[in-house]
Amino acid sequence: MAYNHESIQTTSGLPFRIFSFNEQNDGRFIPKHWHQSVEMIYCLSGQLKVWLITEEYILQKNDFMVINTNTVHATQGLKNSQVMIIQLPIQFLREVTFGNIQMNLFFKLIVHLQKMIMMMLC
């Protein structure tokens, strides 16, 4: 079965994409797809259903999930959910690990980014 490839567009001025969404009803469904970005999902409130390859998970408040590159997944926001997503393109990961992404992956969060994330959480 073929799944859609999602091309990730970075957030203006940043080398990655960061966004959040609110779901008041069980309606926000993103069908199975894959991309060349690591996706970090943080459930701020409510619940988020995540299909990861063949498994199904329900993220609850304060749950965190990392989805690896090229991994087929789908999501559905459940009632009263608020979710934050950070997508790190593979090229960005190669740059910050000096091409050694498989062996050692460390991130240094700069003050500007910390403030931006905190603003999204509040």
Side-chain angles (χ1 to χ4, degrees), residues 53-107:
I53 308 173
T54 59
E55 300 295 320
E56 181 180 309
Y57 302 91
I58 303 290
L59 300 184
Q60 311 231 9
K61 182 178 180 178
N62 295 325
D63 283 348
F64 181 81
M65 177 180 272
V66 177
I67 300 173
N68 205 357
T69 61
N70 303 315
T71 302
V72 174
H73 61 284
T75 61
Q76 181 179 12
L78 302 177
K79 192 172 185 178
N80 298 321
S81 63
Q82 183 179 13
V83 177
M84 182 173 68
I85 309 282
I86 300 175
Q87 295 169 323
L88 305 169
I90 191 71
Q91 185 57 39
F92 169 69
L93 295 174
R94 285 187 184 120
E95 289 172 12
V96 298
T97 61
F98 305 102
N100 200 12
I101 188 172
Q102 303 303 336
M103 299 297 288
N104 121 32
L105 183 58
F106 297 103
F107 297 102

Side-chain angles (χ1 to χ4, degrees), residues 4-10 17 33-37 87 89:
N4 288 333
H5 172 258
E6 180 184 2
S7 178
I8 304 299
Q9 303 301 315
T10 59
R17 182 176 183 208
H33 66 284
W34 63 277
H35 42 72
Q36 294 182 340
S37 295
Q87 295 169 323

